[in-house]
Amino acid sequence: GTFEILNSNELRHMGFSTHDISPGFYIEMLESQIPGRIFLLGIQPEQTTLGTGLSPTVSKTLDLLQNQIIEIISMELQGGDS
C-alpha cells in the first residue's frame, strides 16, 4: 500500500534490468511521443498471487491518492510546478 510519485528526471536515474524495460528509457520514449510532463505512480502491492484482486490496503491507498492526483493534474494544467 505504500506509494511513490516520480517525475521523469527521477526515473532517468533508475537502473536497468534485463527482465523489464528501464523506467528511464520508457519515459524518454513517452516524452518523444506525447507533449507534456510524465509522472509515474507506483504502489507497492500487498500480494501478487495470480487471480487475487486488489487488496483492501491498496484500495485504501488509491482512495487516499485520488485527491492528490487531481490536484497534481490541476496544477499541471495551470502551468504550475509540482
Side-chain angles (χ1 to χ4, degrees):
T2 58
F3 70 92
E4 193 164 345
I5 300 174
L6 303 171
N7 67 37
S8 60
N9 290 329
E10 293 167 313
L11 289 169
R12 289 185 209 289
H13 302 292
M14 294 186 122
F16 178 78
S17 168
T18 57
H19 298 283
D20 57 12
I21 190 168
S22 160
F25 177 80
Y26 187 63
I27 289 297
E28 288 178 14
M29 189 266 308
L30 285 173
E31 287 178 333
S32 72
Q33 302 294 317
I34 301 170
R37 293 175 58 191
I38 307 293
F39 293 88
L40 174 70
L41 169 61
I43 300 175
Q44 181 67 40
E46 187 172 13
Q47 55 188 345
T48 57
T49 306
L50 187 61
T52 59
L54 196 61
S55 71
T57 302
V58 172
S59 182
K60 182 178 178 182
T61 299
L62 288 171
D63 289 341
L64 294 171
L65 286 172
Q66 180 177 358
N67 288 335
Q68 290 180 17
I69 292 168
I70 291 169
E71 189 175 315
I72 289 170
I73 292 170
S74 295
M75 287 175 58
E76 287 297 310
L77 292 174
Q78 295 172 10
D81 289 327
S82 55

